[in-house]
Amino acid sequence: MFYLQTLIAFVFAIVLLVGLHELGHLIVARLCGIKVIRFSIGIGKPFYTKIWRNIEWSIAPIPLGGYVKMVDTREGKVADEDLPYAFDKQHPLKRIAVVAAGPLTNLALAIILYAFSFGIGGVKETRPYIGTLDSPSIAAKAGFREGDKIISVNGKAVNTFNDAYINMVMNLEAGKVLVQVENPQGQPETRTIDAVGTPEAQAVATRQASIGISPVKLSEYIGEVVPNKAAAKAGLQKGDRIIRIDGMDTPKWEQWAKIVRENAGRNLKVVYVRNGTEHETILMPDAHELPDRSQIIGRAGIAPAIDEAWQKKVHHVYYPNLAQSMQLGWQKMVDYTNITLSFFGKLITGNASFAHISGPITIAEVAGHTIQIGWQSYVEFLALVSISLGVMNLLPIPVLDGGHLVYYTAELIRGKPLSKTIQDIGLRIGVAALLTMMILAFFNDITRLLG
């Protein structure tokens, strides 16, 4: 069922985002008096075609893009009566408008999707507090503590946990990351992350590990017991609190969880509290082999309950009106556009890992996960991918919309097109860059999948 949901969520995302991108090109082309021959979602041989309003509307099997084919003398013989409507015969400003329309449609769509999400489902903000700190981890090595409130990352103020986390991840390969925090006692301190070139940073880039912080704070009480697993067989229930194992006090969840992991298949004498009364039982952790077959660990089949008081402190939900929703949508679009451009800049300068680049497999995986969480997560996922699609297409790489914008802007300034030689060289460079990026994206996807 999950795989079917993932497939549907992915296909819908591609059809919506690519379709509206190409529709932006088409609408502006028609408004500029340019004749459009074909509109296609997907590439390859179309499996569905329909003629409507003198345009061939097609759907092709490879979901890696789409295109709008216009009358153009550079692509073949054009009938005399169609010459005034040929794309390449139009004023540079018209061609600039047509080319820019696709990416700008994606950015506008992102604003609308965010506004819809915020207006209907509310704005769910998680304040930049650290509720759980994993150890060992990059964050633990940097001196972070549970209860820290993150104020800024490399001098940039952050208001939510997500903003803080993204900024830390994006700067891992650029050098030391200086994180200003307010410690649990309310005193200002600086945590310094120095993970450039480390295996830990590479694992974060490939999404095989995290920095080691979470805004969620877990309580010491059992929140879930998996049926037919070790804890259920031992009689443990939701709401119980384990205080001692084999005579060792375990006031913290991590303490007794560590003992369980290290004692697969061994009987452990467990003392727990239920409704204020102490009880004893014997727990035999189930043996579980890690995916890389490097180790067998013990599992009890339980999960901790979330600290509700902490949740109320950290999480904030409010419902903006229409104007506020649009303003928040605009701000989200601007913020993520800046982050995306900054990331590409870091790639060029060698201050970010190419392992961060994702392809269609990762997009499909995230689509499936977000739609399982709920409609709001999926809508905001669509908005984020729409921003990525819009920004990437605006990059000044020949074959992308941004490359064409460079050519037509140069023609507007010079009063004549760039020479065919220069355009051909640019095209070869652009195709090589795009193919390299696609191969890298697929390689990273497969690496994560097999990870």
Side-chain angles (χ1 to χ4, degrees), residues 7-66:
L7 179 62
I8 293 171
F10 175 66
V11 170
F12 178 80
I14 294 299
V15 170
L16 177 70
L17 303 181
V18 173
L20 289 179
H21 175 99
E22 300 302 337
L23 194 61
H25 289 312
L26 184 147
I27 290 172
V28 175
R30 292 292 291 263
L31 289 173
C32 290
I34 300 167
K35 184 174 181 179
V36 177
I37 300 171
R38 183 184 302 123
F39 173 93
S40 178
I41 296 176
I43 55 179
K45 185 178 181 180
F47 60 83
Y48 173 81
T49 300
K50 181 180 177 63
I51 304 297
W52 183 61
R53 294 199 172 185
N54 298 318
I55 298 174
E56 182 184 299
W57 304 80
S58 304
I59 300 177
I62 304 174
L64 295 177

Side-chain angles (χ1 to χ4, degrees), residues 274-412:
R274 179 182 296 167
N275 299 323
T277 304
E278 290 189 10
H279 301 270
E280 289 186 3
T281 188
I282 298 297
L283 173 71
M284 180 187 289
D286 298 321
H288 175 80
E289 188 176 29
L290 294 178
D292 61 3
R293 299 185 177 181
S294 63
Q295 188 181 2
I296 293 177
I297 62 172
R299 283 188 174 176
I302 53 177
I306 293 174
D307 188 318
E308 296 297 336
W310 177 265
Q311 284 289 96
K312 291 178 182 177
K313 173 184 177 181
V314 171
H315 292 280
H316 174 55
V317 180
Y318 66 97
Y319 294 85
N321 58 34
L322 178 59
Q324 290 170 331
S325 296
M326 291 299 293
Q327 183 180 4
L328 288 168
W330 166 265
Q331 193 57 53
K332 276 284 187 184
M333 185 275 291
V334 170
D335 289 345
Y336 281 123
T337 296
N338 288 335
I339 288 171
T340 305
L341 289 173
S342 174
F343 168 67
F344 279 113
K346 285 183 169 66
L347 277 182
I348 293 170
T349 58
N351 290 321
S353 171
F354 283 95
H356 284 290
I357 297 175
S358 300
I361 297 174
T362 298
I363 293 172
E365 187 179 11
V366 176
H369 284 305
T370 55
I371 203 166
Q372 278 204 322
I373 295 170
W375 71 267
Q376 192 169 14
S377 293
Y378 182 65
V379 168
E380 292 185 20
F381 155 77
L382 290 176
L384 186 57
V385 177
S386 191
I387 292 170
S388 297
L389 184 62
V391 173
M392 191 180 76
N393 271 280
L394 285 172
L395 295 177
I397 300 174
V399 310
L400 294 179
D401 293 331
H404 293 299
L405 285 174
V406 171
Y407 284 167
Y408 304 146
T409 302
E411 181 180 344
L412 183 67

Side-chain angles (χ1 to χ4, degrees), residues 9 61 80 117 160 170 181 213 263 265 277 320 324-325 348 395 422 444:
D80 291 342
S117 172
T160 68
M170 288 295 101
V181 305
I213 56 175
N263 288 275
T277 304
Q324 290 170 331
S325 296
I348 293 170
L395 295 177
I422 292 177
N444 288 343

